[in-house]
Amino acid sequence: MSFLSSLTRPLWNLARGRPILAIFEACLRCNSNCGYCNLPLNKGHYELTREEIRQVFARLYRDNGIRYLFVQGGEPLLRKDLVEILQDLAEMGYWLGLVTNGTLLTPSIIKRLARLPISISVSLDSLNRERYQSIRGADQLPQVLKGIAALTAFPHSKYVTCIVSERNRQDVLEVVRYARDNGFVPVVGAYHWGIERYGKVDLTLQYERAVAVNVFQQILASQLVPQGYFRRYLSDNIQWLEGKALDPCDAGRYSVSIDASGNVAPCYALQPSGNLLESSLEDILVSMNREAIKKCSENSSCNLLCSRIVGSTLRHPVSALITPKNIRTGHREQSHVQPELPTCHKSVS
């Protein structure tokens, strides 16, 4: 592939409404048991081998113009070959984002990741050990905080993602402040439940929407989330929680979801339309139920960042450009212009 073709293909995709971003569930195994996770974890699903991943994603880069990958799970670091897989993907030319619960981050892994064009997002629901365990189903907060501490000198974008639920709403501002104090960009989203195959219904986590709106308004007022994309995302969450229409999502258009077996869906809330070991991405895109995607988007039934991030960036380029790549401790922002998209969060990491 020529250098010019490598640059122009993603632009051509954007013009045609074709994906440039894929969310890749590297494995569907997890060491947590989150109350809000409804993905088919720990069910013995086939996982693509490293060689199959190399072949599939080489085609997606060369033939389909995919350039950004958000790699998640389950817990992706449960794959013993994950760092090698990420190295393969980086060598192809992908910009990468790793979404992890942080329990398996070690200095040696972080040192290897630091050599790659990759951002890291660590999920953190609370700094209260008991509440963390009640949400995540495992007593893992000490390991997560140790992993976050190990990222102190990580040279690329790093995020702490907090999902607002009824059980942790009193902790969210503290988590946001902790993220800023430790040099992370804080990302705050809302718990979703009962949406297609995404979002387990957990009555202990469900909130009154007006109460959740108040949490997001407090965070906005605090100014702890820096100017740019993620502050706009806070406002989008308020809009969604108030039942107002959101802009169209990117599912099946600018982005797709690929699970550990190679199944492709518009997003991980909707059903797969084909498998990359058997069909080309173009054929899978043709077979997607566009009416179902449109209906889901028009109902504003979710506000998943990864299913709206490309479209939102195109509509609000200034917000994207001023989003800080890194955060200095002491709440001073630095290094605003970044070549990669802001990383994904998901409510189930």
Side-chain angles (χ1 to χ4, degrees):
M1 174 182 290
S2 70
F3 178 72
L4 182 60
S5 175
S6 178
L7 288 177
T8 58
R9 181 56 191 266
L11 297 176
W12 178 234
N13 279 17
L14 293 176
R16 295 190 305 148
R18 287 290 189 269
I20 65 167
L21 164 69
I23 300 95
F24 176 43
E25 298 166 335
C27 73
L28 285 175
R29 292 171 281 130
C30 197
N31 57 351
S32 298
N33 185 26
C34 301
Y36 44 52
C37 179
N38 206 32
L39 291 179
L41 302 176
N42 303 316
K43 297 288 182 65
H45 292 275
Y46 177 74
E47 290 181 5
L48 299 172
T49 66
R50 179 185 174 188
E51 179 58 30
E52 287 172 330
I53 291 171
R54 185 187 293 118
Q55 293 174 3
V56 164
F57 283 93
R59 288 198 303 272
L60 293 178
Y61 189 95
R62 180 187 67 243
D63 300 337
N64 303 110
I66 304 292
R67 291 295 182 268
Y68 299 92
L69 294 179
F70 294 151
V71 180
Q72 56 192 43
E75 171 44 51
L77 284 168
L78 284 173
R79 278 199 73 132
K80 301 302 182 184
D81 57 353
L82 182 74
V83 176
E84 289 77 14
I85 289 169
L86 294 172
Q87 289 170 339
D88 292 341
L89 295 171
E91 288 173 4
M92 295 175 198
Y94 284 106
W95 285 99
L96 304 168
L98 176 64
V99 183
T100 173
N101 63 21
T103 59
L104 301 175
L105 287 169
T106 64
S108 60
I109 288 175
I110 293 168
K111 183 177 180 179
R112 296 172 68 190
L113 293 177
R115 304 187 187 108
L116 306 179
I118 191 168
S119 63
I120 296 180
S121 177
V122 180
S123 302
L124 180 62
D125 300 306
S126 174
L127 293 171
N128 179 286
R129 188 168 180 175
E130 181 179 347
R131 281 195 288 277
Y132 183 96
Q133 181 175 359
S134 71
I135 296 170
R136 293 274 164 170
D139 183 15
Q140 296 171 321
L141 182 60
Q143 296 98 296
V144 177
L145 297 183
K146 185 176 180 181
I148 289 174
L151 285 166
T152 298
F154 186 70
H156 311 306
S157 302
K158 53 189 180 182
Y159 307 87
V160 162
T161 298
C162 184
I163 302 303
V164 177
S165 70
E166 178 60 25
R167 204 177 293 178
N168 75 331
R169 58 185 172 84
Q170 70 270 43
D171 301 332
V172 176
L173 197 58
E174 181 185 21
V175 171
V176 170
R177 186 172 291 109
Y178 172 84
R180 289 297 306 264
D181 286 343
N182 286 276
F184 289 73
V185 178
V187 183
V188 182
Y191 166 48
H192 296 62
W193 62 87
I195 300 170
E196 298 292 337
R197 66 188 184 107
Y198 173 84
K200 184 190 298 182
V201 175
D202 186 325
L203 296 178
T204 68
L205 297 178
Q206 291 183 20
Y207 44 72
E208 294 290 336
R209 289 193 170 225
V211 174
V213 166
N214 185 55
V215 175
F216 283 93
Q217 288 174 335
Q218 288 178 8
I219 298 165
L220 269 177
S222 75
Q223 301 291 301
L224 288 170
V225 174
Q227 289 184 352
Y229 186 90
F230 295 110
R231 191 178 294 181
R232 177 173 290 279
Y233 182 61
L234 286 173
S235 299
D236 286 346
N237 274 278
I238 292 172
Q239 185 172 327
W240 175 76
L241 287 165
E242 290 177 340
K244 299 174 183 176
L246 296 173
D247 290 317
C249 78
D250 301 332
R253 183 174 54 146
Y254 298 136
S255 66
V256 291
S257 173
I258 304 170
D259 74 9
S261 303
N263 296 310
V264 181
C267 74
Y268 50 76
L270 299 174
Q271 294 297 326
S273 301
N275 188 286
L276 289 168
L277 294 179
E278 303 166 355
S279 306
S280 70
L281 179 61
E282 283 299 322
D283 288 342
I284 293 172
L285 290 172
V286 169
S287 69
M288 285 183 178
N289 187 337
R290 297 291 164 178
E291 282 301 313
I293 299 170
K294 182 173 181 288
K295 181 179 178 181
C296 184
S297 178
E298 288 176 347
N299 289 340
S300 296
S301 58
C302 79
N303 187 29
L304 302 181
L305 188 148
C306 48
S307 294
R308 297 183 182 273
I309 192 166
V310 178
S312 181
T313 298
L314 293 174
R315 286 186 291 269
H316 308 288
V318 174
S319 289
L321 286 172
I322 67 173
T323 302
K325 181 177 180 180
N326 293 308
I327 297 289
R328 292 186 188 273
T329 56
H331 302 171
R332 290 174 297 171
E333 300 169 18
Q334 84 174 68
S335 194
H336 287 269
V337 177
Q338 55 181 0
E340 73 269 24
L341 288 171
T343 197
C344 172
H345 92 273
K346 60 172 183 167
S347 303
V348 294
S349 171

